[in-house]
Amino acid sequence: MQIETITVTPFEQNSRLIIDTNNSVGAVLDPGGEVSRIINCIEKRRINIKSILLTHSHLDHIGGVVDLIEYLEKKQGQKPDLYGHIIETEMRSHAPDIAKAYGLSPNDYKACPEPDVYIEDGDLVEIGSIKLNVFFTPGHSPGHVVYYSEKGESSEPVLFAGDTLFAGSIGRTDLPGGDYETLRRSIYDKIFTLPDNTLVLPGHGTDTEVGREKHSNPFL
Ligand SMILES: [Zn+2]
Ligand SMILES: [Zn+2]
């Protein structure tokens, strides 16, 4: 597995390319916007993108989905499969309105189509030979999921954490459908039970590790 990070938009959201280097196939996680930059990276690496994975459906994570699908369909002659949780349908459709409320251009944050594949806790997502376990981790948003692989870029496991756990912080819980206690429970039950050496790749900010956050995160 190789991972490329493209930090996009004023939200400084970490979009990730997850690449199976043996087969030159991959997935894009949370294409939040500035899709031309994500596309540059895909073209440079010459990867066939089979899937787009969503951790959750806040506009900073879904704003570029439509444009990316349109590009991939043209370029690859095949639409990638979109993966996301069923609960967040309404949130996906409201992205442009919320962008307007933030004073941003709705053209940069388009409404996100419904996923081709609804995922739930315990599902396995395959990208070539890469296997990602799906864990349901609500609290920051009602349908939030994280993706975990026992073997990341090195031999250590990796977690694509979205907006659950950050380096020294946790996701906000004041947005619609958010709940502080639910988020804490998700982190304790689903993330802190992973090996301490699990590399955590959050939706914003720098990478961290499960063990480090267990011992030093002031919110937990
Ligand atoms: Zn969010
Ligand atoms: Zn976010």
Side-chain angles (χ1 to χ4, degrees), residues 196-210:
D196 275 359
N197 67 346
T198 303
L199 177 69
V200 177
L201 302 181
H204 306 266
T206 54
D207 306 348
T208 185
E209 276 185 5
V210 164

Side-chain angles (χ1 to χ4, degrees), residues 43-60:
E43 292 192 336
K44 219 183 291 160
R45 300 295 308 263
R46 298 192 180 163
I47 325 152
N48 200 285
I49 298 294
K50 301 279 189 195
S51 27
I52 298 174
L53 313 179
L54 303 178
T55 58
H56 66 300
S57 304
H58 285 152
L59 84 160
D60 55 325

Side-chain angles (χ1 to χ4, degrees), residues 11 13 56 58 60-61 140 162-163 166 203-204:
F11 295 101
Q13 186 265 329
H56 66 300
H58 285 152
D60 55 325
H61 295 250
H140 168 71
D163 290 356
F166 300 121
H204 306 266

Side-chain angles (χ1 to χ4, degrees), residues 9-217:
T9 76
F11 295 101
E12 300 194 3
Q13 186 265 329
N14 295 322
S15 291
R16 317 271 183 182
L17 289 192
I18 305 167
I19 306 162
D20 171 6
T21 44
N22 296 327
N23 302 301
S24 295
V25 296
V28 180
L29 179 95
D30 289 352
E34 290 187 81
V35 165
S36 59
R37 293 183 48 221
I38 299 172
I39 290 171
N40 276 345
C41 198
I42 294 170
E43 292 192 336
K44 219 183 291 160
R45 300 295 308 263
R46 298 192 180 163
I47 325 152
N48 200 285
I49 298 294
K50 301 279 189 195
S51 27
I52 298 174
L53 313 179
L54 303 178
T55 58
H56 66 300
S57 304
H58 285 152
L59 84 160
D60 55 325
H61 295 250
I62 61 167
V65 170
V66 161
D67 289 345
L68 183 60
I69 289 176
E70 197 184 291
Y71 161 82
L72 291 172
E73 198 170 8
K74 246 184 240 158
K75 178 85 181 178
Q76 301 179 169
Q78 205 186 351
K79 213 167 96 41
D81 282 328
L82 179 64
Y83 290 73
H85 199 282
I86 194 167
I87 293 179
E88 299 191 338
T89 299
E90 209 182 310
M91 211 181 273
R92 281 185 281 271
S93 67
H94 285 162
D97 304 329
I98 299 164
K100 261 191 256 171
Y102 275 111
L104 300 163
S105 164
N107 274 334
D108 294 337
Y109 302 91
K110 294 191 176 134
C112 178
E114 270 312 277
D116 304 289
V117 184
Y118 286 125
I119 42 175
E120 324 179 8
D121 195 64
D123 282 354
L124 190 70
V125 175
E126 296 188 69
I127 307 151
S129 61
I130 296 170
K131 291 179 180 19
L132 297 174
N133 298 100
V134 176
F135 304 133
F136 183 52
T137 52
H140 168 71
S141 75
H144 197 295
V145 299
V146 295
Y147 300 87
Y148 172 76
S149 171
E150 266 176 17
K151 214 174 152 289
E153 275 187 305
S154 53
S155 54
E156 272 105 51
V158 64
L159 180 76
F160 298 94
D163 290 356
T164 54
L165 179 66
F166 300 121
S169 186
I170 59 171
R172 58 191 285 191
T173 52
D174 58 329
L175 296 168
D179 183 70
Y180 179 68
E181 269 315 311
T182 307
L183 177 59
R184 275 172 59 95
R185 210 175 320 126
S186 290
I187 293 172
Y188 278 108
D189 294 352
K190 300 286 172 56
I191 298 179
F192 280 0
T193 46
L194 300 172
D196 275 359
N197 67 346
T198 303
L199 177 69
V200 177
L201 302 181
H204 306 266
T206 54
D207 306 348
T208 185
E209 276 185 5
V210 164
R212 194 189 305 163
E213 296 310 316
K214 252 192 218 172
H215 297 118
S216 67
N217 192 306

